[in-house]
Amino acid sequence: IKINKELRDLDLKKNYEAKLSLCEQAEELTLESQIIEAFRKLQKLHDEWREIGPVATEHKEELWDRFKEASSRINRRHQQHFDEIKQEQQQNLDLKTKLCEQTEELNTATYESRKEWNKASDRLLEIQKVWKTIGFAPKKENAKIYERFRAACDAFFERKRNYYSGLKDQMEENLELKTRICEQAEAVM
């Protein structure tokens, strides 16, 4: 019985040291700059904690509170990190929505000359450059906002293509009329 008690005490002491080490490792993780990596490592420490046997009753609460406090700080930072990402993605969505509105405005305006079309095209190309610099929107909105932007850009360039096609037809008509005038002038000569 005495040997059994000594072995049990030795086992409790070994478990205490192992869990104390896990507490120290968890506290070190609170200083880790890469929060996602720290969170993953914390999950492994939790697995190890469960695998380690019991400790003496007088140390049980103290160790668990210490480990839990370090875990809570890492979890808060992890949650805060994702909240910041969500906030940034929402800002990106707002910016992209404004760019869509600007593109749609360009698309609905009327342009009478090549100069106006070129100016509008340059403005749209600038908008597209800005679009590329903005990060992702929230996952469920990202594809929708891209489709909206793409549709507005495609519609604009389709209108421009139609304008230039009509202009080309008009130029061909003018060439034909001028050719007839030249032929009539040559016939009169």
Side-chain angles (χ1 to χ4, degrees):
I1 293 177
K2 184 179 178 187
I3 292 173
N4 189 21
K5 185 176 180 341
E6 288 175 1
L7 286 175
R8 183 164 161 38
D9 289 343
L10 186 63
D11 194 38
L12 291 176
K13 183 180 178 187
K14 186 180 103 188
N15 292 345
Y16 173 78
E17 290 171 356
K19 286 189 175 186
L20 185 62
S21 173
L22 290 178
C23 288
E24 291 167 355
Q25 291 176 48
E27 289 166 349
E28 286 176 20
L29 287 177
T30 62
L31 305 174
E32 175 82 33
S33 62
Q34 298 293 323
I35 188 60
I36 295 180
E37 186 62 28
F39 184 78
R40 286 189 186 125
K41 289 177 183 177
L42 178 67
Q43 299 312 308
K44 290 178 184 175
L45 293 180
H46 272 275
D47 292 340
E48 288 179 40
W49 183 277
R50 286 193 265 319
E51 291 174 11
I52 297 173
V55 296
T57 308
E58 65 267 11
H59 299 297
K60 185 177 179 180
E61 285 297 317
E62 170 193 339
L63 280 176
W64 175 244
D65 288 343
R66 185 174 172 185
F67 189 69
K68 188 170 75 171
E69 173 58 31
S71 295
S72 295
R73 285 191 299 202
I74 293 169
N75 288 331
R76 277 193 301 272
R77 282 185 57 214
H78 187 257
Q79 184 60 42
Q80 184 180 22
H81 173 73
F82 283 102
D83 289 344
E84 289 170 0
I85 289 174
K86 284 180 186 177
Q87 185 180 11
E88 180 182 331
Q89 288 178 342
Q90 185 58 46
Q91 290 172 344
N92 291 344
L93 178 62
D94 294 343
L95 290 172
K96 286 183 174 188
T97 301
K98 288 178 185 173
L99 292 178
C100 285
E101 291 167 357
Q102 291 174 6
T103 303
E104 290 162 351
E105 284 176 24
L106 284 175
N107 196 25
T108 57
T110 54
Y111 307 106
E112 301 296 328
S113 68
R114 286 191 288 182
K115 184 177 180 180
E116 290 174 347
W117 274 105
N118 288 336
K119 187 176 178 182
S121 293
D122 290 343
R123 176 71 185 122
L124 183 55
L125 293 175
E126 283 298 316
I127 291 172
Q128 287 178 334
K129 283 181 187 176
V130 172
W131 179 278
K132 290 176 184 177
T133 64
I134 299 172
F136 291 106
K139 201 172 205 172
K140 65 181 180 177
E141 300 290 330
N142 201 46
K144 291 177 190 174
I145 196 73
Y146 178 74
E147 289 301 319
R148 179 180 173 188
F149 183 68
R150 193 74 257 146
C153 289
D154 290 346
F156 175 84
F157 286 118
E158 181 64 28
R159 281 184 59 215
K160 182 179 176 184
R161 195 171 13 265
N162 290 339
Y163 171 79
Y164 276 100
S165 176
L167 193 61
K168 184 178 178 185
D169 292 344
Q170 187 181 15
M171 289 176 150
E172 287 176 8
E173 272 182 43
N174 289 343
L175 178 63
E176 193 175 307
L177 289 172
K178 288 180 181 181
T179 303
R180 279 193 222 148
I181 292 172
C182 287
E183 289 172 356
Q184 289 175 358
E186 288 172 353
V188 171
M189 284 177 60

CSV table of all heavy atoms in Angstrom, one decimal, residues 2 4-5 31 36 42 46 53 57 78 90 127 138 140 143 145 148 150 159 164 182:
chain,number,residue,atom,x,y,z
A,2,LYS,N,2.0,1.2,0.8
A,2,LYS,CA,2.9,2.3,0.9
A,2,LYS,C,3.5,2.6,-0.5
A,2,LYS,O,3.7,3.7,-0.9
A,2,LYS,CB,3.9,2.1,1.9
A,2,LYS,CG,4.8,3.3,2.2
A,2,LYS,CD,5.9,3.0,3.2
A,2,LYS,CE,6.8,4.2,3.4
A,2,LYS,NZ,7.9,4.0,4.3
A,4,ASN,N,2.3,1.7,-3.4
A,4,ASN,CA,1.3,2.1,-4.3
A,4,ASN,C,1.0,3.6,-4.1
A,4,ASN,O,0.8,4.4,-5.0
A,4,ASN,CB,0.0,1.3,-4.0
A,4,ASN,CG,-1.1,1.6,-5.1
A,4,ASN,OD1,-0.8,2.1,-6.1
A,4,ASN,ND2,-2.3,1.3,-4.7
A,5,LYS,N,1.0,4.1,-2.8
A,5,LYS,CA,0.8,5.5,-2.5
A,5,LYS,C,1.9,6.3,-3.0
A,5,LYS,O,1.7,7.4,-3.6
A,5,LYS,CB,0.6,5.7,-1.0
A,5,LYS,CG,0.3,7.2,-0.6
A,5,LYS,CD,0.0,7.3,0.9
A,5,LYS,CE,-0.3,8.6,1.4
A,5,LYS,NZ,-0.1,9.8,0.6
A,31,LEU,N,1.5,35.6,-26.6
A,31,LEU,CA,2.4,36.6,-27.1
A,31,LEU,C,2.6,36.4,-28.6
A,31,LEU,O,3.3,37.2,-29.3
A,31,LEU,CB,3.7,36.6,-26.3
A,31,LEU,CG,3.6,36.8,-24.8
A,31,LEU,CD1,4.9,36.7,-24.2
A,31,LEU,CD2,2.9,38.2,-24.5
A,36,ILE,N,-3.7,32.9,-35.7
A,36,ILE,CA,-4.3,31.6,-36.2
A,36,ILE,C,-3.4,30.5,-35.9
A,36,ILE,O,-3.9,29.4,-35.4
A,36,ILE,CB,-4.6,31.7,-37.7
A,36,ILE,CG1,-5.7,32.8,-37.9
A,36,ILE,CG2,-5.0,30.4,-38.3
A,36,ILE,CD1,-6.1,33.0,-39.3
A,42,LEU,N,-2.9,26.0,-29.6
A,42,LEU,CA,-3.6,25.9,-28.4
A,42,LEU,C,-4.6,24.7,-28.4
A,42,LEU,O,-4.7,24.0,-27.4
A,42,LEU,CB,-4.5,27.2,-28.2
A,42,LEU,CG,-5.4,27.2,-26.9
A,42,LEU,CD1,-4.6,27.2,-25.7
A,42,LEU,CD2,-6.3,28.4,-27.0
A,46,HIS,N,-4.7,21.7,-25.7
A,46,HIS,CA,-5.9,21.2,-25.0
A,46,HIS,C,-6.0,19.7,-25.1
A,46,HIS,O,-6.4,19.0,-24.2
A,46,HIS,CB,-7.2,21.8,-25.6
A,46,HIS,CG,-7.5,23.1,-25.0
A,46,HIS,ND1,-8.3,23.2,-23.8
A,46,HIS,CD2,-7.2,24.4,-25.3
A,46,HIS,CE1,-8.5,24.5,-23.5
A,46,HIS,NE2,-7.8,25.2,-24.4
A,53,GLY,N,-3.0,12.7,-17.0
A,53,GLY,CA,-3.8,12.2,-15.9
A,53,GLY,C,-4.0,13.3,-14.8
A,53,GLY,O,-3.7,14.5,-15.0
A,57,THR,N,-5.3,17.3,-5.7
A,57,THR,CA,-6.5,18.1,-5.5
A,57,THR,C,-6.2,19.6,-5.2
A,57,THR,O,-6.9,20.5,-5.8
A,57,THR,CB,-7.4,17.5,-4.4
A,57,THR,OG1,-7.6,16.2,-4.7
A,57,THR,CG2,-8.7,18.2,-4.4
A,78,HIS,N,-8.3,35.5,-31.2
A,78,HIS,CA,-8.7,34.8,-32.4
A,78,HIS,C,-10.1,35.3,-32.9
A,78,HIS,O,-10.2,35.6,-34.1
A,78,HIS,CB,-8.8,33.3,-32.1
A,78,HIS,CG,-9.1,32.4,-33.3
A,78,HIS,ND1,-10.3,31.9,-33.5
A,78,HIS,CD2,-8.3,32.0,-34.3
A,78,HIS,CE1,-10.2,31.1,-34.7
A,78,HIS,NE2,-9.0,31.2,-35.1
A,90,GLN,N,-16.6,43.9,-45.0
A,90,GLN,CA,-17.8,44.7,-45.2
A,90,GLN,C,-17.5,46.1,-45.8
A,90,GLN,O,-18.2,46.6,-46.6
A,90,GLN,CB,-18.5,44.9,-43.8
A,90,GLN,CG,-19.8,45.7,-43.9
A,90,GLN,CD,-20.8,45.0,-44.8
A,90,GLN,OE1,-21.0,43.8,-44.8
A,90,GLN,NE2,-21.5,45.8,-45.7
A,127,ILE,N,-11.9,53.1,-62.7
A,127,ILE,CA,-12.7,52.4,-61.8
A,127,ILE,C,-12.3,50.9,-61.7
A,127,ILE,O,-12.2,50.4,-60.6
A,127,ILE,CB,-14.2,52.5,-62.1
A,127,ILE,CG1,-14.7,54.0,-61.9
A,127,ILE,CG2,-15.1,51.5,-61.3
A,127,ILE,CD1,-16.1,54.2,-62.5
A,138,PRO,N,-17.5,40.0,-48.2
A,138,PRO,CA,-17.9,38.8,-47.5
A,138,PRO,C,-18.3,37.7,-48.5
A,138,PRO,O,-18.8,38.0,-49.6
A,138,PRO,CB,-19.2,39.2,-46.7
A,138,PRO,CG,-19.0,40.7,-46.5
A,138,PRO,CD,-18.3,41.2,-47.7
A,140,LYS,N,-20.5,35.4,-49.0
A,140,LYS,CA,-21.9,35.3,-49.6
A,140,LYS,C,-22.2,36.4,-50.5
A,140,LYS,O,-23.1,36.3,-51.4
A,140,LYS,CB,-22.9,35.1,-48.5
A,140,LYS,CG,-23.1,36.3,-47.6
A,140,LYS,CD,-24.2,36.1,-46.6
A,140,LYS,CE,-24.4,37.3,-45.7
A,140,LYS,NZ,-25.4,37.1,-44.8
A,143,ALA,N,-19.5,37.1,-54.9
A,143,ALA,CA,-19.8,36.7,-56.3
A,143,ALA,C,-20.9,37.6,-56.8
A,143,ALA,O,-20.8,38.0,-58.0
A,143,ALA,CB,-20.3,35.2,-56.3
A,145,ILE,N,-21.6,40.8,-56.0
A,145,ILE,CA,-21.1,42.1,-56.3
A,145,ILE,C,-20.2,42.1,-57.5
A,145,ILE,O,-20.2,43.0,-58.4
A,145,ILE,CB,-20.4,42.8,-55.1
A,145,ILE,CG1,-20.2,44.3,-55.3
A,145,ILE,CG2,-19.0,42.2,-54.8
A,145,ILE,CD1,-21.5,45.1,-55.1
A,148,ARG,N,-22.4,41.9,-60.6
A,148,ARG,CA,-23.0,43.2,-60.8
A,148,ARG,C,-22.1,44.1,-61.5
A,148,ARG,O,-22.4,44.8,-62.5
A,148,ARG,CB,-23.5,43.8,-59.5
A,148,ARG,CG,-24.1,45.2,-59.6
A,148,ARG,CD,-24.5,45.8,-58.3
A,148,ARG,NE,-25.0,47.1,-58.4
A,148,ARG,CZ,-25.2,47.9,-57.4
A,148,ARG,NH1,-25.1,47.5,-56.1
A,148,ARG,NH2,-25.6,49.2,-57.5
A,150,ARG,N,-19.3,43.3,-63.2
A,150,ARG,CA,-19.0,42.7,-64.6
A,150,ARG,C,-20.1,43.1,-65.5
A,150,ARG,O,-19.9,43.4,-66.7
A,150,ARG,CB,-18.8,41.2,-64.4
A,150,ARG,CG,-18.2,40.6,-65.6
A,150,ARG,CD,-16.7,40.9,-65.7
A,150,ARG,NE,-16.5,41.9,-66.7
A,150,ARG,CZ,-15.5,42.8,-66.7
A,150,ARG,NH1,-14.7,42.9,-65.7
A,150,ARG,NH2,-15.4,43.7,-67.7
A,159,ARG,N,-22.4,49.0,-75.3
A,159,ARG,CA,-23.0,50.3,-75.9
A,159,ARG,C,-21.9,51.0,-76.7
A,159,ARG,O,-22.2,51.6,-77.7
A,159,ARG,CB,-23.4,51.2,-74.7
A,159,ARG,CG,-24.8,50.8,-74.2
A,159,ARG,CD,-25.2,51.8,-73.1
A,159,ARG,NE,-25.3,53.2,-73.6
A,159,ARG,CZ,-25.0,54.3,-72.9
A,159,ARG,NH1,-24.6,54.2,-71.7
A,159,ARG,NH2,-25.1,55.4,-73.5
A,164,TYR,N,-19.7,52.8,-81.9
A,164,TYR,CA,-18.6,52.9,-83.0
A,164,TYR,C,-19.0,52.1,-84.2
A,164,TYR,O,-18.6,52.4,-85.3
A,164,TYR,CB,-17.3,52.3,-82.4
A,164,TYR,CG,-16.5,53.4,-81.6
A,164,TYR,CD1,-16.6,53.5,-80.3
A,164,TYR,CD2,-15.8,54.4,-82.3
A,164,TYR,CE1,-15.9,54.6,-79.6
A,164,TYR,CE2,-15.1,55.4,-81.7
A,164,TYR,CZ,-15.2,55.5,-80.3
A,164,TYR,OH,-14.6,56.5,-79.7
A,182,CYS,N,-18.1,62.7,-106.3
A,182,CYS,CA,-16.9,62.8,-107.1
A,182,CYS,C,-17.2,62.3,-108.5
A,182,CYS,O,-16.7,62.9,-109.5
A,182,CYS,CB,-15.8,62.0,-106.5
A,182,CYS,SG,-15.1,62.8,-105.0
